[in-house]
Every structure is written in C-alpha cells, then in structure tokens.
C-alpha cells in the first residue's frame, strides 16, 4: 500500500488541468505539459486538487500507483515553478560558453565539444565555469545534465572535470615514493 499515492496533488493558482481519457494536460505560467497515465489508474480532479485512484483494489499494492502520482506532481511543479540543475567545471583552462542553441565546452581535449541543446531546455553560462540547465521537464533536464557531465567526469585525484553543484568528489591519495 503506497503512502505517497494516497496524498492529493494541490494545483497552485493560475494552473489548469484537463483530463481526457488517460492523458492529463497541465497548463501553468511556464508552459504546458501532458502525461500519459497507465490504464490501471484513474485520475480525478476535485476543485484544485488531483487525485490518483487505482481502478481495482488489487492494484493498491502496485508500485506504479506512487510512481504515477509522483510523475503528475513533478509535471505540476515543472509548469508552475520549473526545475534547474547547475554544473561546475573544475580544471585549468576548462570553460563553457553558449552560442545560439549550441553549448561549447573546452575541457582539456585537443578539440572543443559542441553540444546541441534540445528543445524545451534552456542552458545558461553565468560564469565561464558554471552551466545552468533549466526547463519544465525534470526527466529531460536530468538527462541533459548527465550527458554534459559524461564528456569529462570528475576524476578522484585532482577533482578535475564536470560535476554537479553539490556533488562531493571522494579524493584519493596519489602515488608515494
């Protein structure tokens, strides 16, 4: 029995929800997003709250119930407030710049890395060594941040590489004579 799924999702002001068959469309101040819901569950809107209810009693123990509720809650939060991730570049000569829809990374290779920013995601470089990724969809922001980080993961000896803002890099001791 899921404890998370029993909670209703509160809709903030200036947010509208439309439920059509198994597709829920949520419109907020930052944009609009839609989500397909499993056939096992029904979604009801009661005033300014959204409730996810399993159609059969046997599905009350199905872990998808809580997952469905969490996806809807993330969609509501995304269109109202948005999500963001911040990456830091650590290393001598490591820098990032944005031009149009391309992110240019100089991370110690003999060539620059050009990364095409997908639609619906906004990438900013407030400083040369900071990349801010923001948007409405939490899943796609995480995927873009992971892809950018994969170009040069932080190494444990000097800590050089691309890391998340609050990530701790466990340092190793170097060779001894």
């Amino acid at each position: 029995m899921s404890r998370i799924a029993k909670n209703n999702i509160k809709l903030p002001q200036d947010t509208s929800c439309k439920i059509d068959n198994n597709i829920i469309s949520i419109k907020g101040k930052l944009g609009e997003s839609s989500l397909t819901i499993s056939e096992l569950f029904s979604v009801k809107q009661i005033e300014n709250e959204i409730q996810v209810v399993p159609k059969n009693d046997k599905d009350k123990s199905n872990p998808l119930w809580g997952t469905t509720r969490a996806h809807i809650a993330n969609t509501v939060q995304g269109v109202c407030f948005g999500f963001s991730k911040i990456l830091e570049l650590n290393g001598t000569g490591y820098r990032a710049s944005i031009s149009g829809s391309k992110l240019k990374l100089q991370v110690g290779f003999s060539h620059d890395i050009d990364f095409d920013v997908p639609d619906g995601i906004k990438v900013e470089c407030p400083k040369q060594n900071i990349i801010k990724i923001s948007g409405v969809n939490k899943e796609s922001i995480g995927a873009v941040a992971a892809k950018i980080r994969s170009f040069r993961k932080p190494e444990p000896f000097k800590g050089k590489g691309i890391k998340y803002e609050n990530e701790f890099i466990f340092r190793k001791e170097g060779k001894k004579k």
Side-chain angles (χ1 to χ4, degrees), residues 4-5 7-9 52 64-74:
I4 293 173
N7 300 332
N8 292 344
I9 303 161
V52 181
L64 255 169
W65 185 22
T67 305
T68 303
R69 188 249 178 228
H71 283 306
I72 294 171
N74 284 341

Side-chain angles (χ1 to χ4, degrees), residues 35-107:
L35 190 67
T36 305
I37 288 148
S38 173
E39 302 266 337
L40 302 172
F41 307 104
S42 64
V43 179
K44 300 174 186 173
Q45 184 176 1
I46 305 164
E47 294 177 23
N48 63 344
E49 290 187 345
I50 299 173
Q51 184 179 30
V52 181
V53 181
K55 290 182 179 173
N56 295 330
D57 282 341
K58 67 175 185 167
D59 288 327
K60 285 191 174 184
S61 62
N62 191 340
L64 255 169
W65 185 22
T67 305
T68 303
R69 188 249 178 228
H71 283 306
I72 294 171
N74 284 341
T75 306
V76 169
Q77 186 179 352
V79 295
C80 293
F81 309 110
F83 292 103
S84 67
K85 284 197 180 255
I86 297 175
L87 298 172
E88 294 177 358
L89 281 71
N90 294 331
T92 308
Y94 285 22
R95 61 179 61 103
S97 61
I98 188 97
S99 60
S101 65
K102 285 196 182 271
L103 177 69
K104 184 178 178 183
L105 296 169
Q106 297 173 340
V107 286

Side-chain angles (χ1 to χ4, degrees), residues 143-162:
V144 168
K147 180 66 177 171
I148 292 171
R149 184 181 181 272
S150 72
F151 292 132
R152 181 71 103 173
K153 288 187 179 174
E155 52 97 13
F157 295 102
K158 291 185 178 179
K160 292 167 60 171
I162 304 172

Side-chain angles (χ1 to χ4, degrees), residues 11-15 80:
L11 285 173
Q13 290 181 338
D14 304 331
T15 306
C80 293

